Amino acid sequence: AQSVAQPEDQVNVAEGNPLTVKCTYSVSGNPYLFWYVQYPNRGLQFLLKYITGDNLVKGSYGFEAEFNKSQTSFHLKKPSALVSDSALYFCAVIPGYSSASKIIFGSGTRLSIRP
Amino acid sequence: GAGVSQSPSNKVTEKGKDVELRCDPISGHTALYWYRQSLGQGLEFLIYFQGNSAPDKSGLPSDRFSAERTGGSVSTLTIQRTQQEDSAVYLCASSYTPGESQYFGPGTRLLVL
């Protein structure tokens, strides 16, 4: 079955430290990969995506993610965390793109940045 | 230049009543999704519309749930005979094509008493 996994329900990081939110996937074909963020009491927002090309993708708010085909991972990273980065993060994948492809979301990881 | 809009923003209903939730996607977006999110948890996929294709209803939790999309634009999600466990935030999202990033609406917060 096609799936995407976020193995950590919660990630805690001190402000100023680097952060990583993990995502792995199991899909057929060449996937399209996404990260979305949901700030408290706000809607879900697109953060970044990988379609093809450079494995390192840069997105909004200083975030980046690296596509690793051999490890089937798409971890989200930021060199220096801010308290304002505290939010719920979702990884998502569209497997082997076609007009019928449906996006699959991970279960979410709550990122908490302490001052 | 409106984004995805949903109405109502909040809905309180009594157990057993029917409710209808509306989603207005971004104009020109062919893909439309409905999700359910409970208490800031993960997204539960409900239904997916893509162009004129038959919708993917594989996520609907029971036959009390149905959805339609008229004219490839506005969509309504109907929950019949609501139950307390239906209480959640119902999110709608659209994208220009299935491979593009999704734009989410603000959601409808449903409370079934």
Side-chain angles (χ1 to χ4, degrees):
Chain A
Q2 321 255 39
S3 64
V4 57
Q6 293 180 243
E8 304 153 315
D9 290 336
Q10 174 111 16
V11 171
N12 300 306
V13 177
E15 187 175 29
N17 283 359
L19 69 87
T20 298
V21 182
K22 296 179 181 177
C23 173
T24 59
Y25 62 90
S26 175
V27 299
S28 58
N30 295 317
Y32 287 18
L33 295 154
F34 303 81
W35 276 100
Y36 288 83
V37 58
Q38 188 175 36
Y39 295 103
N41 300 316
R42 291 171 61 180
L44 270 152
Q45 301 174 36
F46 166 77
L47 200 55
L48 52 80
K49 69 178 178 182
Y50 171 83
I51 304 297
T52 187
D54 193 346
N55 289 344
L56 184 64
V57 178
K58 293 187 183 297
S60 307
Y61 311 119
F63 283 92
E64 58 188 29
E66 185 166 13
F67 171 61
N68 187 317
K69 189 172 183 178
S70 62
Q71 296 186 1
T72 61
S73 67
F74 190 57
H75 301 331
L76 182 70
K77 300 182 179 184
K78 187 173 182 179
S80 179
L82 299 173
V83 172
S84 57
D85 293 330
S86 299
L88 186 56
Y89 290 81
F90 292 95
C91 180
V93 60
I94 297 178
Y97 173 72
S98 74
S99 62
S101 295
K102 181 178 71 187
I103 194 168
I104 303 168
F105 277 86
S107 56
T109 298
R110 191 166 298 278
L111 178 64
S112 178
I113 310 299
R114 60 184 183 275
Chain B
V4 178
S5 61
Q6 293 185 245
S7 61
S9 54
N10 290 281
K11 177 70 176 180
V12 180
T13 190
E14 295 179 346
K15 178 182 173 181
K17 300 283 189 181
D18 297 352
V19 296
E20 191 171 277
L21 312 180
R22 177 186 169 106
C23 172
D24 284 83
I26 293 173
S27 178
H29 280 194
T30 64
L32 187 149
Y33 294 80
W34 282 98
Y35 300 93
R36 181 165 69 175
Q37 186 178 32
S38 301
L39 295 172
Q41 299 301 309
L43 294 174
E44 178 185 3
F45 165 75
L46 297 178
I47 189 168
Y48 166 47
F49 296 90
Q50 169 49 35
N52 296 320
S53 303
D56 179 344
K57 303 179 181 180
S58 59
L60 295 178
S62 78
D63 59 7
R64 296 187 295 104
F65 288 73
S66 63
E68 62 178 22
R69 188 179 185 190
T70 54
S73 180
V74 173
S75 177
T76 54
L77 176 69
T78 301
I79 309 173
Q80 295 178 312
R81 305 181 302 281
T82 52
Q83 303 294 311
Q84 289 180 332
E85 59 263 29
D86 298 335
S87 298
V89 176
Y90 289 80
L91 294 169
C92 175
S94 71
S95 63
Y96 184 63
T97 66
E100 296 293 319
S101 51
Q102 294 188 337
Y103 292 82
F104 281 81
T108 293
R109 189 176 300 274
L110 175 66
L111 178 60
V112 182
L113 301 176

